[in-house]
Amino acid sequence: MNQFHAAAREPETLQALAHHLAKSASDLMTQSQLFQELADRRGHELDGVNRALAELQGAVTMQDNRLNEILGRFNQSRDDVTSATEAQHHELAREFRNLIDQQAFFLCSQVTQIGTHSDPARRASRYLQLAQHLCRLLFGPLPPLSAEISSLFESFGAPKKDTDAHWDTQIDRLLQRLSALRRRVAAVGTPFRWDFEVAIGEPYAADRYQLWTTASPDSPIELAVAPAYSVPGRPPYVPAMVFTAFLTDPR
């Protein structure tokens, strides 16, 4: 009898623990954002802030992993979540993909046409590099700051932050859309990952990955450009986008 009552209480216990971990992760993320904003306002790198930020990022990652594990166990104990969460994740996966294609990659294309070599192959190589770096920022464990995106774009030839209203506006719109997506995905309440892990060196497989537009399907995987939208226990809603080799070598 005691075992029966303990089993009956387990979903409630797991749910309470999941909510506690989610709040802890949220608090850590808020602290991290405050540290990043402080460093941005001061206009230079602060060693103490950077050390604290690194510790907070590690703590957020650990909490996120624990939360995913607890939520996974909790969802296994419920039969009523599957169809509802499936529909939500499918909708959010479409938004995730549209954000990448319509805004992130579009901005990368615009940036790499500024002040670069007129050679199309050189521009294609820079476009790939920028797209990869931007996706790592957008879909990392913590939301990026506008200054981080601006700095990345500047390194590829875009105007400096606050000197061109067009770029500032485009970056702000991208981050607003990303923030809304993060909130909606978190509100579903099931484990998920934006997963950059791919099988480097293995042959490209169309049933497992998306292929970068100008990459060869006959070459081995060299890197992940954009992450998969993954939920434990099922195939990704959106597979990772990989680069193999250019169909025509840009070098």
Side-chain angles (χ1 to χ4, degrees):
M1 181 66 69
N2 289 338
Q3 291 179 345
F4 173 80
H5 286 304
R9 290 195 301 270
E10 185 177 2
E12 297 179 4
T13 302
L14 291 173
Q15 187 176 29
L17 182 54
H19 285 309
H20 172 72
L21 289 171
K23 184 179 185 304
S24 298
S26 176
D27 291 342
L28 288 168
M29 186 174 293
T30 299
Q31 293 178 47
S32 177
Q33 288 175 316
L34 289 174
F35 276 123
Q36 288 184 321
E37 290 168 4
L38 174 62
D40 190 44
R41 288 197 304 268
R42 296 287 293 273
H44 61 276
E45 295 295 329
L46 302 176
D47 291 339
V49 171
N50 287 335
R51 285 194 298 271
L53 178 58
E55 292 174 2
L56 285 170
Q57 288 174 330
V60 168
T61 300
M62 290 179 61
Q63 289 282 42
D64 184 58
N65 291 337
R66 291 183 62 197
L67 180 58
N68 281 348
E69 179 183 352
I70 294 299
L71 283 173
R73 291 175 59 194
F74 174 63
N75 290 331
Q76 289 173 2
S77 68
R78 300 178 61 193
D79 297 326
D80 61 331
V81 299
T82 304
S83 60
T85 56
E86 275 286 303
Q88 288 177 293
H89 279 303
H90 276 296
E91 179 183 352
L92 291 167
R94 285 192 294 271
E95 171 62 11
F96 165 77
R97 195 165 191 166
N98 288 339
L99 184 152
I100 292 174
D101 292 340
Q102 296 172 3
Q103 284 188 272
F105 286 172
F106 176 72
L107 276 175
C108 290
S109 177
Q110 287 189 311
V111 170
T112 52
Q113 293 182 50
I114 300 174
T116 61
H117 197 281
S118 59
D119 180 8
R122 170 65 173 159
R123 193 159 54 240
S125 179
R126 288 172 58 80
Y127 175 35
L128 168 66
Q129 295 171 31
L130 180 55
Q132 182 196 20
H133 290 314
L134 180 59
C135 284
R136 289 282 180 174
L137 274 178
L138 295 178
F139 302 107
L142 294 175
L145 293 175
S146 174
E148 294 178 286
I149 306 297
S150 297
S151 178
L152 174 64
F153 285 175
E154 288 167 21
S155 70
F156 280 79
K160 292 186 178 297
K161 182 175 173 58
D162 298 327
T163 63
D164 189 319
H166 168 75
W167 291 108
D168 295 342
T169 300
Q170 294 300 314
I171 292 170
D172 287 344
R173 287 176 178 170
L174 173 63
L175 293 183
Q176 287 168 8
R177 188 172 181 181
L178 175 66
S179 179
L181 176 62
R182 282 179 175 269
R183 288 195 302 269
R184 292 178 63 196
V185 174
V188 176
T190 57
F192 81 99
R193 291 183 67 192
W194 286 327
D195 189 1
F196 285 94
E197 293 182 13
V198 298
I200 303 295
E202 291 191 3
Y204 163 72
D207 60 338
R208 294 182 59 191
Y209 302 112
Q210 302 176 78
L211 185 64
W212 181 250
T213 307
T214 55
S216 168
D218 301 319
S219 299
I221 295 171
E222 183 174 318
L223 55 88
V225 182
Y229 183 122
S230 298
V231 170
R234 72 176 313 284
Y237 288 96
V238 177
M241 179 176 288
V242 298
F243 173 77
T244 54
F246 283 105
L247 288 168
T248 302
D249 192 338
R251 293 168 294 183

